[in-house]
Amino acid sequence: MEFLADILLVGGALGAGVYCYVLARRLARFNDLETGVGGAVAVLSAQVDDLTKTLDAARKTASASTSSLDGLTDRAENVAQRLELLVASMHDLPQEQPVRDRPQPGPAPVQDAVTEPVFTRRAPEERPQ
């Protein structure tokens, strides 16, 4: 009976050894960096690094844009206040006469070229100094 138990024990140990060998080969193929899950993990890790760098660059750009936009908003608010003051000061100005109440300019008088000379000579004592 002991002999039979020893044979079964050796058979079980050989079976466990074969099973471990097969599992080791499968695990080696599974973790292969070119075709297995290990390669996929390596590729995903590289992509995560690239995305992290891109996200950091986007954050820096967004913060710079935000600060620039804040400055422009402040300037716009200042200009709006100045415009409001200018519009308010326009109410204090006197009203302009309507166009129909203003005197209309008449036609310019026509000068007769024969009777009135365009250039007149002054005597030397009349010339300004």
Side-chain angles (χ1 to χ4, degrees):
M1 185 81 168
E2 274 185 45
F3 183 70
L4 186 62
D6 288 338
I7 290 176
L8 288 175
L9 192 59
V10 169
L14 285 174
V18 170
Y19 182 72
C20 285
Y21 177 73
V22 170
L23 282 179
R25 287 191 59 194
R26 282 188 179 177
L27 187 60
R29 280 189 302 183
F30 186 74
N31 287 332
D32 186 21
L33 289 178
E34 301 225 354
T35 58
V37 174
V41 169
V43 169
L44 288 175
S45 176
Q47 288 177 347
V48 166
D49 290 340
D50 290 342
L51 287 174
T52 302
K53 290 176 186 175
T54 304
L55 184 62
D56 288 340
R59 279 186 187 148
K60 288 178 185 175
T61 303
S63 66
S65 297
T66 301
S67 64
S68 173
L69 189 58
D70 286 341
L72 289 174
T73 303
D74 291 340
R75 284 181 55 199
E77 287 174 356
N78 291 336
V79 169
Q81 288 175 353
R82 288 175 48 202
L83 284 174
E84 286 175 2
L85 287 173
L86 286 173
V87 169
S89 69
M90 293 292 289
H91 293 294
D92 296 339
L93 293 177
Q95 294 270 336
E96 192 175 307
Q97 285 183 340
V99 175
R100 59 187 164 91
D101 293 342
R102 283 192 218 155
Q104 297 294 325
V110 179
Q111 294 180 352
D112 190 8
V114 176
T115 59
E116 291 185 27
V118 177
F119 299 105
T120 58
R121 291 191 167 187
R122 292 185 184 178
E125 63 273 351
E126 293 179 359
R127 289 191 187 154
Q129 305 245 343

